[in-house]
Amino acid sequence: MSRTVFPYATNDISALARSIGRELQSTPEKPGHVQILNMLARGAGFRNFQHLRAQHEAEARLERAPAAPEPVDFVRVERIARYFDAAGRFIRWPSKAGHRDLCLWVMWSRWPAGAVLAEREVNHLLNAHHLFGDHALLRREMVDTGLLSRTPDCREYRRLEKKPPADAVALIRHLATRLQS
C-alpha cells in the first residue's frame, strides 16, 4: 500500500505537548497507531486525523492548476454545421460516425433537461428538429450513444445529463447564433 505524506506543523509546540500529555493520561492503555495519529491531529487544531487529511487533500486540489480547456476543431465544426439548414434543423444523416455523434449532441441540446417524455412526445420533438423523416433512427442512436435513457418497455425517455465535448458545444453555439440572425 502506498503511503501518502502529509506535512505536519503546529504553531505552539508547548500546547501540542500539553494536549498529547492530557490525552495520554486519559487513555488507560497504550494507544494504538490510529489513536496517536488522532492525538497529533487534535494537538494541531484538527478534529481528528481524517480531518487533517481532508484539509491537506483539499488544499492540494485547489493549488493544482485548472486543466487546459479542450481544443475545438473549428474546421470540423464548420463542416458538420452543413448537416443543418438555416433554421437549425438536421437535414441528412451523416455517413461518418464522428459527424453523427456531434449532430446527435445538437439534438440532445434541444431536449428539455429533466423532462420525462413518452414515445409520442419524443417523436414529435425529433420531427420538429430534423427533415430526413426518420425519428426512430435518431431516437435509437441517441439511446445507443448514451445521450438518452429509456425504460425497458420504451414508454418513457429522458435526457442523460452529461458534459458535451468542446466541438459539440461549439456546434451548438454556432447553430444557436444562426437561429438568432
Side-chain angles (χ1 to χ4, degrees), residues 121-159:
E121 296 168 312
V122 171
N123 295 343
H124 178 72
L125 177 73
L126 293 174
N127 283 330
H129 294 288
H130 87 284
L131 299 175
F132 55 88
D134 198 349
H135 59 268
L137 170 71
L138 287 170
R139 191 181 62 234
R140 184 175 49 253
E141 287 294 321
M142 290 180 77
V143 169
D144 289 347
T145 57
L147 297 176
L148 297 180
S149 68
R150 67 179 168 206
T151 57
D153 61 1
C154 300
R155 287 188 181 186
E156 293 181 349
Y157 291 79
R158 71 184 69 215
R159 179 174 105 166

Side-chain angles (χ1 to χ4, degrees), residues 159-179:
R159 179 174 105 166
L160 295 175
E161 296 306 316
K162 299 179 175 189
K163 181 181 180 197
D167 287 355
V169 171
L171 179 62
I172 292 165
R173 286 185 181 146
H174 171 70
L175 293 173
T177 59
R178 189 191 283 183
L179 288 173

Side-chain angles (χ1 to χ4, degrees), residues 76 79-80 83 90 92-104 141:
R76 181 175 182 231
R79 189 177 311 122
I80 294 172
Y83 289 103
F90 201 179
R92 66 183 185 282
W93 187 245
S95 59
K96 293 185 177 182
H99 293 192
R100 286 193 299 263
D101 290 345
L102 284 185
C103 292
L104 290 174
E141 287 294 321

Side-chain angles (χ1 to χ4, degrees), residues 14-15 17-18 25 32-33 39 42 74 111-112 120 123 147 152 154:
S14 179
R18 281 193 304 274
Q25 285 177 352
H33 174 75
M39 287 179 195
R42 282 191 290 271
F74 289 105
W111 196 278
R120 177 176 287 161
N123 295 343
L147 297 176
C154 300

